[in-house]
Amino acid sequence: MIGATNGARVSITGLGCCTPERVVTNDDLSRTLDTSDEWIRERTGIRERRIALPEQALSDLALPAARQALAQAGGEPSSIDLLIVATVTPDMVFPSSGAVLADRLGMPDAAAYDLSAGCTGFMYALAQAYGMIAGGLSSRALVVGGDVLSKIVDWSDRSTAVLFGDGAGAVVLEAVDAGGFLGFELGADGAGGVHLNLPAGGSRMPATAESVAGGQHLVKMNGPEVFKFATRVLVSSAERVLAECGLSVADIDLYVPHQANVRIIDYAVRKLGIARERVVVNVDRFGNTSSGSIPLALADAAADGMLHPGQTVLMTGMGAGLTWGSAVMEWTGQTNGNGQSRRREETVGG
Ligand code: UT7
């Protein structure tokens, strides 16, 4: 799916994020796994990640992130009529974390649901919220991207356990006079889905004592295959959306790629020819937070003074599905002067 948004002007007017307080370093992991700080840093760029406490679920991270985004955008939570939570680690299969969160935030009139597109979920949810607002179905949307992958990672598998972290981000979308989203490009390659999956717990393989004992409820990944896919789609998706919008790489002020591995980001940056100082990288501090990755990176860029109204921002995600998705937008920031855009992410837990 590809399209330039030459009609309705819709933008992000509030941004927030939240990570668990608990920091787990590479050295911490090397105490229980046959790995090392050196291997993890060299092969992935990750130094540490945030890991939720046993009692913390996705909505516990999403709630502070959403409150921060709403505070920045201004207005009452009840003004939100659409809430999409992009995640593969909802609090439970149903009710959706969207419905749980709408209740916790006090949004009685919002349509609320979850969206599953792996690490690309946030990009899919942005496009969906844009379409609902542009189509007149929604006037104000809250989009959350977040995951608590630590709950589904196999902590005895060094090839996956070192990569992931927990975190959530949230944005408010609404109509603006100028700027905002310029185009989207989204896609999925189900044939490649086998390279990154969680086999059990659905209707194909319901939970049994054997499925649990066999680790079938934990993430399985063919790292090198996902690496090849990631480097390919980060480049092709960016090129396609830019061409559709009549833009070139030279027009991009800020590039916000999915934070999975710094080597994947470096490859895309080199191939696309984007200047390094225009690239947001925080995978070193958070690891791969799946759907939380891009909103966390946006919030970091805002806190670091890298994100300003009028800038052209390119975001590209990729992940399980296999899926990918890009958006280009002219950043507007909050439009009501209620801004706290230089505030760091919230943390929860102890
Ligand atoms: O959001 C999307 C989700 N996923 C991704 O984007 C991940 C994409 N893939 C990757 O980032 C990389 O493929 C990994 C970081 C997962 C792996 O890096 P790699 O350079 O592709 O390594 P590899 O899988 O080819 O493994 C190389 C070696 C192997 O040992 P041998 O067979 O050469 O002796 C692995 O067993 O590294 C070994 N290895 C490790 N060694 C120390 C794998 N994981 C570790 C580890 N510590 N944590």
Side-chain angles (χ1 to χ4, degrees):
M1 189 189 99
I2 187 161
T5 59
N6 45 16
R9 299 267 58 95
V10 174
S11 192
I12 291 173
T13 59
L15 168 64
C17 66
C18 176
T19 54
E21 230 171 78
R22 183 158 58 132
V23 176
V24 173
T25 65
N26 294 342
D27 283 335
D28 292 334
L29 292 178
S30 62
R31 280 184 208 110
T32 53
L33 282 173
D34 180 16
T35 189
S36 65
D37 175 52
E38 191 188 3
W39 191 96
I40 302 170
R41 268 190 295 107
E42 276 177 10
R43 307 306 293 170
T44 72
I46 299 167
R47 287 189 289 114
E48 59 188 40
R49 70 285 295 142
R50 303 298 182 92
I51 299 294
L53 296 171
E55 64 273 22
Q56 285 171 336
L58 175 71
S59 68
D60 302 322
L61 300 184
L63 187 66
R67 286 199 172 125
Q68 210 182 82
L70 285 161
Q72 199 177 92
E76 292 302 311
S78 57
S79 64
I80 298 290
D81 54 18
L82 171 66
L83 168 50
I84 310 175
V85 176
T87 188
V88 294
T89 49
D91 290 16
M92 57 194 81
V93 174
F94 62 86
S96 70
S97 293
V100 169
L101 195 59
D103 179 55
R104 293 180 74 177
L105 286 163
M107 298 176 172
D109 297 325
Y113 58 95
D114 293 354
L115 182 156
S116 168
C119 301
T120 319
F122 182 72
M123 301 311 300
Y124 270 59
L126 283 182
Q128 226 174 60
Y130 171 87
M132 296 255 209
I133 294 171
L137 283 178
S138 165
S139 62
R140 219 163 185 234
L142 178 67
V143 170
V144 174
D147 271 301
V148 195
L149 287 183
S150 64
K151 306 289 176 116
I152 57 168
V153 157
D154 180 349
W155 287 103
S156 67
D157 174 11
R158 68 176 183 176
S159 68
T160 51
V162 303
L163 304 176
F164 299 109
D166 301 332
V171 291
V172 174
L173 263 69
E174 58 196 313
V176 291
D177 294 333
F181 289 98
L182 303 173
F184 292 96
E185 198 267 336
L186 307 173
D189 168 17
V194 65
H195 298 310
L196 178 52
N197 68 358
L198 192 152
S203 53
R204 179 72 59 201
M205 194 190 295
T208 61
E210 291 75 29
S211 69
V212 173
Q216 297 300 311
H217 298 264
L218 304 173
V219 173
K220 316 281 176 218
M221 185 174 72
N222 179 339
E225 280 301 325
V226 177
F227 191 96
K228 275 189 262 171
F229 162 78
T231 48
R232 180 164 49 82
V233 296
L234 278 193
V235 176
S236 60
S237 182
E239 286 176 345
R240 289 191 72 200
V241 76
L242 289 175
E244 188 75 12
C245 295
L247 296 171
S248 76
V249 164
D251 297 309
I252 298 305
D253 298 304
L254 199 69
Y255 175 46
V256 189
H258 175 48
Q259 308 285 314
N261 184 329
V262 80
R263 284 161 55 217
I264 295 174
I265 297 174
D266 284 345
Y267 177 91
V269 165
R270 236 183 2 259
K271 271 282 197 201
L272 290 167
I274 298 179
R276 190 65 209 199
E277 63 273 14
R278 297 185 179 183
V279 184
V280 183
V281 177
N282 67 2
V283 67
D284 54 324
R285 289 185 294 126
F286 297 112
N288 179 350
T289 56
S290 185
S291 275
S293 152
I294 288 180
L296 269 173
L298 279 174
D300 253 7
D304 289 341
M306 290 174 77
L307 190 55
H308 305 288
Q311 280 181 333
T312 304
V313 179
L314 167 67
M315 309 170 225
T316 302
M318 56 82 193
L322 298 169
T323 53
W324 66 90
S326 289
V328 185
M329 68 181 295
E330 184 186 315
W331 191 256
T332 52
Q334 67 281 358
T335 52
N336 63 356
N338 198 15
Q340 303 159 32
S341 60
R342 302 200 59 154
R343 193 163 140 199
R344 278 278 169 203
E345 59 271 358
E346 301 268 354
T347 54
V348 290

